[in-house]
Structure formats: C-alpha cells, structure tokens
Amino acid sequence: EDQVTQSPEALRLQEGESSSLNCSYTVSGLRGLFWYRQDPGKGPEFLFTLYSAGEEKEKERLKATLTKKESFLHITAPKPEDSATYLCAVQTPYGGSQGNLIFGKGTKLSVKP
Amino acid sequence: SAVISQKPSRDICQRGTSLTIQCQVDSQVTMMFWYRQQPGQSLTLIATANQGSEATYESGFVIDKFPISRPNLTFSTLTVSNMSPEDSSIYLCSASGFYTGELFFGEGSRLTVL
C-alpha cells in the first residue's frame, strides 16, 4: 500500500535555529513529490515539486531535497513567520487521477522569537 | 498560479440536512478536485470534478452522499448530503492549470454538524 510518513509530528525551534523535516514514502512508483505549507484555517499553499532523486529546490529559507525513499525540507535560520504545518504529498503514475496525491499528516512547526 | 475561492468558509449544520459548497477559480484550469481534511488526519481526495459529466469518485466516496457538479472550466460545487456529525471536516477545492502539474488549493470550508 502506498504510504507517506512525516516526522516529527511537531517541531519547536528558536528563531535562527536551523533544522530539517522528513517525509518518507513507500510507493509503487513516483511521478512527483510535493511540499505544501498550511496556516491555521487556510488551505495548503504550494511550495515545491520534486521529480527525481538528487533534485533540489530552494525558496527563501526553505530547501527541499529528494532521495529514492525520502525527502527533506531544510529550514535555514527560521523566523516566527515560518510557523505553520508543512505537508508532504506524493503522486504515483498509477493513480486514477492527476489529483490523487497521497498526503502525509504533516509536521507542525513553531518558531519562537 | 490559480486563485481559488470557496464559500461558505464555515458553517454549522443540523444532522440530516445538506449543504452545497461552491468553488470558483480565477482562470481556466484543466482539473478540479475536492478533498476532505478531517481533524488530525491527512488530506483525502473525494473526487475529480469533470466538466460536463459525472465526477470520478475515489474509493469510499459515493455520488449519493457527495454529488458534484462542474458546469464549466472555472466553477464546481460539492454537496454534502444527509449530514451526520462524522461529516464535520474541512472540505477543500483544488485545481491544476493547463501548463503545470502543481495543485493549488482554496481556503477550505469548515463544516460542523451538530
């Protein structure tokens, strides 16, 4: 069964304290891996798509990397405004529809000033 | 990226009633979808909204419970029928554009069923 697991469930950081979030996946095939940010009461906001092992993408303080079994979201020198839940999702070639992303439960990040 | 508007943003409903959620996208998109996000759970795809034809439902979701319409490329509705407290959830509309595979989401509609 295709599965996405994110860890840790929650992470508390001090402002400026860099860290990484993990997304491990077990799927029959990978079409793409997606990272989203979700603020309380809002819909997920698209961050990155990664398609192949070794690929990296960056946006401000965030950097996403991909291996054959997991992805990391690195946060460098985070600020309080980076506090949110970060969601990982995978898309397989065998899904019934393009939209059938398999989501993890997310990592709730809190950054204290 | 597409801007997706949903309404209502939240509602409190009585058991046994039905509620229709509207989703409007600001540009033409190829695919529109409806997701559910239950408390503490992952997002789960309910169905793909197909323009001018019946929606494609995922396992565990049926048309009688979640009828969906998509009359044109930018608008869709999801109805949650004969609601029970177990239907209390956030319902999210999403869409992908003609040129990219990224999936964009609306703000969500938070339903509470009493």
Side-chain angles (χ1 to χ4, degrees):
Chain A
E1 180 184 349
D2 296 332
Q3 200 168 3
V4 176
T5 303
Q6 291 188 247
S7 62
E9 290 185 11
L11 181 62
R12 290 188 165 197
L13 300 173
Q14 288 296 127
E15 184 171 3
E17 180 187 2
S18 301
S19 187
S20 295
L21 313 183
N22 177 263
C23 171
S24 63
Y25 57 91
T26 307
V27 294
S28 47
L30 183 70
R31 176 181 281 174
L33 184 140
F34 299 74
W35 281 99
Y36 289 86
R37 168 190 171 130
Q38 187 173 26
D39 293 298
K42 304 224 171 186
E45 174 190 346
F46 172 78
L47 293 174
F48 305 108
T49 309
L50 302 167
Y51 293 103
S52 57
E55 189 175 358
E56 299 182 350
K57 288 193 177 173
E58 288 188 65
K59 180 180 180 179
E60 296 180 358
R61 295 177 292 282
L62 300 177
K63 179 180 176 181
T65 62
L66 181 65
T67 73
K68 288 188 177 179
K69 294 191 175 181
E70 59 191 350
S71 176
F72 292 94
L73 184 65
H74 307 277
I75 303 177
T76 302
K79 299 181 177 182
E81 53 262 41
D82 294 322
S83 298
T85 296
Y86 290 85
L87 301 173
C88 170
V90 299
Q91 186 179 50
T92 73
Y94 313 108
S97 67
Q98 179 185 347
N100 198 5
L101 301 184
I102 304 167
F103 279 85
K105 292 186 177 181
T107 293
K108 184 175 182 180
L109 175 66
S110 299
V111 183
K112 302 298 181 185
Chain B
S1 64
V3 176
I4 303 175
S5 303
Q6 279 185 241
K7 58 181 181 181
S9 58
R10 60 178 61 232
D11 208 338
I12 299 174
C13 306
Q14 297 298 317
R15 179 195 300 259
T17 62
S18 299
L19 182 77
T20 296
I21 303 167
Q22 298 181 0
C23 176
Q24 179 74 54
V25 187
D26 70 340
S27 57
Q28 291 188 347
V29 292
T30 53
M31 311 284 282
M32 293 183 74
F33 310 92
W34 288 96
Y35 279 82
R36 182 172 71 182
Q37 187 174 29
Q38 295 180 304
Q41 300 299 314
S42 309
L43 275 75
T44 303
L45 181 65
I46 297 172
T48 302
N50 300 311
Q51 185 199 355
S53 64
E54 191 171 289
T56 304
Y57 290 85
E58 299 300 311
S59 176
F61 298 96
V62 295
I63 188 171
D64 289 346
K65 178 67 175 177
F66 299 102
I68 289 170
S69 77
R70 187 180 174 190
N72 58 51
L73 284 174
T74 63
F75 185 78
S76 178
T77 65
L78 167 73
T79 298
V80 185
S81 303
N82 188 25
M83 287 184 284
S84 67
E86 293 70 38
D87 296 318
S88 297
S89 188
I90 299 172
Y91 293 85
L92 292 152
C93 174
S94 67
S96 61
F98 279 111
Y99 304 109
T100 69
E102 288 96 359
L103 199 61
F104 300 97
F105 286 85
E107 297 286 275
S109 299
R110 181 184 293 271
L111 299 190
T112 302
V113 184
L114 303 178

